[in-house]
Amino acid sequence: MTRAPPSTRVVVPQLGTTRSFRMTSARPNEAPAWHVTRIANACVLLRLHDALIMTDPWFTDSPYFTENAALPVAKLPALHAILGGHWAKDHWDIESLRDYEHKATTKVCTAEEHMAKKARRVGFSQSRRLPWGEQIDLTARVRLMAIPDHTFVGRVTSNYALISEDLR
């Protein structure tokens, strides 16, 4: 069994609540550099320094995916970015964010252009496809880079790297 290094703390509450993983700082009196909170399915909130990012938005009740989101859209904080790794419905339900109040200031980065268009139709004006290898600044301390995953039957899947001066 592999144990987590002593600098990590894992919290796994009962189903229906958020699940968190927080890296503690190696420097005394410094806030943790990153924090992960699972919402549902592959939808997570990632905090890296001063950036707050959400992956694979999923807030929809469905007979096929019965897990309820641990946080309602109305309680989402202002995000720096929303990432769409691929087009599958349970990973890209951008319509469920129609009532998200910070659409004008949140960047949306997607694997395919049709995903970005869908986000723009919902009201995310800063929506674009981020091609593999390209990088954008999310904050003064954090950059986002699209990393190749695969293409299958003409559909693209992307991974993403969050980069800062001391973490990647």
Side-chain angles (χ1 to χ4, degrees):
M1 179 171 135
T2 304
R3 293 185 183 265
S7 61
T8 60
R9 177 174 59 96
V10 180
V11 179
V12 185
Q14 297 298 314
L15 290 175
T17 61
T18 60
R19 290 89 155 143
S20 297
F21 180 88
R22 179 185 298 260
M23 178 68 85
T24 59
S25 176
R27 299 177 191 138
N29 303 320
E30 185 176 292
W34 62 281
H35 186 107
V36 179
T37 302
R38 185 169 181 271
I39 304 296
N41 198 29
C43 181
V44 298
L45 291 178
L46 306 168
R47 178 169 298 283
L48 176 59
H49 294 305
D50 58 342
L52 187 58
I53 301 104
M54 182 170 60
T55 67
D56 300 308
W58 179 257
F59 291 87
T60 302
D61 291 331
S62 164
Y64 305 106
F65 302 98
T66 58
E67 181 182 18
N68 294 322
L71 181 72
V73 172
K75 292 193 176 186
L76 281 174
L79 302 167
H80 290 89
I82 297 171
L83 309 180
H86 68 280
W87 54 269
K89 180 70 171 167
D90 64 324
H91 288 261
W92 188 245
D93 188 23
I94 197 72
E95 293 95 343
S96 66
L97 295 175
R98 188 172 304 280
D99 295 329
Y100 172 65
E101 67 179 274
H102 307 284
K103 290 184 284 196
T105 57
T106 301
K107 295 175 184 175
V108 176
C109 298
T110 65
E112 296 188 300
E113 181 56 33
H114 71 90
M115 296 167 67
K117 284 181 184 176
K118 188 181 274 190
R120 286 191 293 273
R121 281 196 303 268
V122 173
F124 289 94
S125 57
Q126 297 186 55
S127 180
R128 62 173 287 211
R129 179 179 79 89
L130 190 64
W132 292 346
E134 282 195 24
Q135 297 183 27
I136 63 167
D137 290 327
L138 297 181
T139 69
R141 293 185 72 185
V142 179
R143 294 182 61 73
L144 172 71
M145 179 171 70
I147 297 176
D149 188 328
H150 70 276
T151 301
F152 179 71
V153 195
R155 305 303 293 263
V156 174
T157 298
S158 293
N159 285 316
Y160 299 95
L162 296 170
I163 304 164
S164 75
E165 71 278 357
D166 58 344
L167 295 171
R168 178 176 182 193

